[in-house]
Amino acid sequence: MGIRLRIFCERGRNPRMSASASLLRALYAVRSGLGGRGRRRGVPTAVSFTSTARFPLLLHRRRSPSFFRPLSSAPADEAVALERDAADASMDAVQRRLMFEDECILVDEHDNVVGHDSKYNCHLMEKIESENMLHRAFSVFLFNSKFELLLQQRSATKVTFPLVWTNACCSHPLYRESELIEEDFLGVRNAAQRKLFDELGIQGEEIPVDQIVSLGRILYKAPSDGKWGEHELDYLLFIVSDVNLNPNPDEVAGVKYVNRDQLRELVRKADAGEDGIKLSPWFRLVVNNFLFKWWDHVERGTLQEAADMKTIHKLT
């Protein structure tokens, strides 16, 4: 019973037709064939798609879509979204999916939730500069029982800051109930546990949420290139645990544990431009302002004494 559509974006009956036009026409054809019985938030389960384009075919989910209108009434913003997807064809398939599906939490400079938007929009420097778009984030600092710090090198396919070295895990709580819980910063800690599994394959029982310590918050802005950047209110989360690592190559290019002296040498190489070493801007800010004094508390088992979640440090 399934209807299979093949959308020829490079060559076909009309080689001049754009990918977005092909997609819209195909979707309208499905609507017509089904008597207009399309679900508003997706395509019917009986429909599958195959793309022969060189880039992955992505159906961009918007808040109130209607992909099944006739072409003459298709909203302009949907057409723009499809053209934008085509313009970002060089983006890795996994990163494209995350960019468009993940909804980040928008906050003001006091960390009050003011809305949500796609990861894509939250990392566009144009929107960061013109709308002062600020989103909530977290950075996990994971130590083993020898009090060595786990570092990861971000994958080459990352949209922002590819191949830089940084702390164990850096990501965003999403606009979902479990990650919006404000009490004891539980939502952010839930998100951290989720991403430690997604990126590093660390099982939840190895990093219980109640053992993740929230130490502080920073607010920073950092351009990555001409198009992308970060503007984050970043929660700094610490945990001590011996874990089993199974890095996800879509997210992580490499991992290693370092002691204090090894980290200082890594920073020196980054400053000198040696061996192509680069550090993420948020990690550098934490290293320069907090990390080594907090490392003392890690070793003494007194992390809670160092915690200051009332202050939001604005760093540059």
Side-chain angles (χ1 to χ4, degrees), residues 22-225:
S22 300
L23 177 58
L24 286 172
R25 290 196 179 191
L27 290 171
Y28 179 50
V30 173
R31 178 185 186 274
S32 301
L34 296 176
R37 299 188 301 275
R39 292 187 300 184
R40 288 185 60 80
R41 290 197 171 272
V43 297
T45 54
V47 179
S48 62
F49 295 93
T50 302
S51 173
T52 58
R54 291 179 182 170
F55 55 88
L57 178 62
L58 176 70
L59 295 181
H60 177 43
R61 178 181 62 78
R62 299 179 66 82
R63 291 185 181 84
S64 57
S66 179
F67 286 111
F68 293 90
R69 295 172 180 162
L71 286 176
S72 60
S73 62
D77 62 336
E78 290 178 4
V80 170
L82 289 166
E83 292 293 350
R84 180 190 63 192
D85 294 350
D88 290 322
S90 62
M91 194 184 298
D92 173 76
V94 172
Q95 298 303 323
R96 282 168 61 85
R97 177 177 59 79
L98 296 175
M99 276 292 202
F100 294 132
E101 292 185 1
D102 285 359
E103 290 279 318
C104 295
I105 301 168
L106 299 180
V107 295
D108 61 20
E109 292 191 351
H110 303 288
D111 202 17
N112 299 308
V113 177
V114 297
H116 59 101
D117 209 332
S118 67
K119 184 178 176 182
Y120 184 100
N121 284 338
C122 288
H123 291 84
L124 282 173
M125 282 306 297
E126 176 185 357
K127 284 189 170 290
I128 291 171
E129 297 293 359
S130 65
E131 303 178 23
N132 197 33
M133 190 174 283
L134 174 67
H135 61 275
R136 190 176 283 173
F138 62 82
S139 293
V140 177
F141 293 77
L142 191 156
F143 296 82
N144 61 19
S145 57
K146 296 189 290 185
F147 306 121
E148 296 170 321
L149 176 66
L150 178 64
L151 302 183
Q152 74 151 271
Q153 185 182 29
R154 291 162 65 84
S155 78
T157 60
K158 284 284 194 179
V159 175
T160 58
F161 303 101
L163 294 177
V164 306
W165 284 94
T166 191
N167 46 287
C169 180
C170 325
S171 191
H172 318 91
L174 301 181
Y175 194 82
R176 57 176 63 165
E177 185 177 359
S178 63
E179 298 183 10
L180 283 164
I181 301 172
E182 301 284 354
E183 184 178 359
D184 296 326
F185 319 106
L186 180 58
V188 175
R189 291 185 288 129
N190 282 339
Q193 186 186 60
R194 170 178 59 82
K195 286 302 292 184
L196 283 165
F197 176 76
D198 288 349
E199 294 191 4
L200 296 168
I202 302 173
Q203 299 295 322
E205 56 267 25
E206 297 181 296
I207 42 166
V209 169
D210 60 3
Q211 292 183 21
I212 300 175
V213 180
S214 305
L215 278 193
R217 292 176 290 178
I218 64 172
L219 193 160
Y220 77 95
K221 182 191 295 185
S224 176
D225 56 23

